[in-house]
Amino acid sequence: FLAEMRPSAVVLAQEGIRVPWLVAGRDAGVPVFAVQHGILYPGHPGYPHRRHPAVVRATTTFVYGPYERAMLLERGAYLETEVEVSGSPRLDLDSADAIEASDGRTDTAAVRASVRAELGVRDGDRLLVVSTVNLPFVQRAHFAPMVDRLLGGPLPRVHVVFKLHPGEREDGP
């Protein structure tokens, strides 16, 4: 397919389950770019944990921030040239909402306060964010029942927010 189509590049999300594309790109000399999908954490099964000649990785993996980049580099599975910080499509959707600090950077504390105010979370209250997946069975059978069972009922001054997956088209749990 790659030989016939001659693409300039291949872009993947969840490259850990798209190994045939990584191999085909490497064999055809086509760069393969991977975009972080979801939360990246130590031991994530979708990312190699050590460098090994049998493990094929993307030409460049684009991650949300410096934390994710450092994690991939520190584990030794990625080289400096293989990981770039590009930002998060979920967090960067509306940069117009960013509040600028006096040094020109985003004032994270002000943005956090603005979001808490918009959600009605008062100072001193806690905010629990549950990030969902776009799988209806998991949404119905796991998220709300899991949080209910985990928390054991109403908790004073605790706000629970379900952050929907970008692919979800319904109201969520």
Side-chain angles (χ1 to χ4, degrees):
F1 175 77
L2 293 181
E4 185 177 319
M5 297 304 293
R6 299 162 141 357
S8 300
V10 173
V11 179
L12 301 175
Q14 297 177 308
E15 74 276 11
I17 59 172
R18 310 256 192 292
V19 174
W21 285 100
L22 294 169
V23 172
R26 180 198 62 197
D27 292 351
V30 174
V32 178
F33 301 114
V35 179
Q36 177 183 341
H37 179 85
I39 298 170
L40 200 162
Y41 53 87
H44 190 293
Y47 296 88
H49 305 297
R50 61 187 177 94
R51 196 137 190 115
H52 188 279
V55 176
V56 181
R57 66 191 45 74
T59 310
T60 304
T61 298
F62 295 94
V63 295
Y64 296 165
Y67 169 83
E68 291 83 0
R69 183 174 194 277
M71 188 176 10
L72 293 181
L73 296 177
E74 287 167 10
R75 299 252 178 256
Y78 289 80
L79 303 175
E80 293 265 343
T81 57
E82 295 173 330
V83 185
E84 297 237 0
V85 174
S86 60
S88 168
R90 293 185 296 181
L91 300 176
D92 299 338
L93 285 175
D94 190 358
S95 59
D97 286 342
I99 300 167
E100 200 172 285
S102 59
D103 63 2
R105 293 187 295 174
T106 299
D107 184 343
T108 346
V111 170
R112 182 176 289 121
S114 171
V115 168
R116 289 175 63 87
E118 183 179 337
L119 294 172
V121 180
R122 294 181 305 265
D123 288 343
D125 285 6
R126 293 183 174 254
L127 175 64
L128 170 63
V129 178
V130 179
S131 185
T132 67
V133 296
N134 192 16
L135 298 170
F137 171 75
V138 175
Q139 292 164 351
R140 281 190 317 275
H142 293 286
F143 286 124
M146 177 238 1
V147 169
D148 179 49
R149 188 164 187 165
L150 179 68
L151 299 179
L155 298 173
R157 302 185 67 179
V158 174
H159 303 257
V160 180
V161 174
F162 287 89
K163 198 235 54 72
L164 301 181
H165 184 279
E168 291 183 74
R169 299 292 178 238
E170 297 182 15
D171 289 339

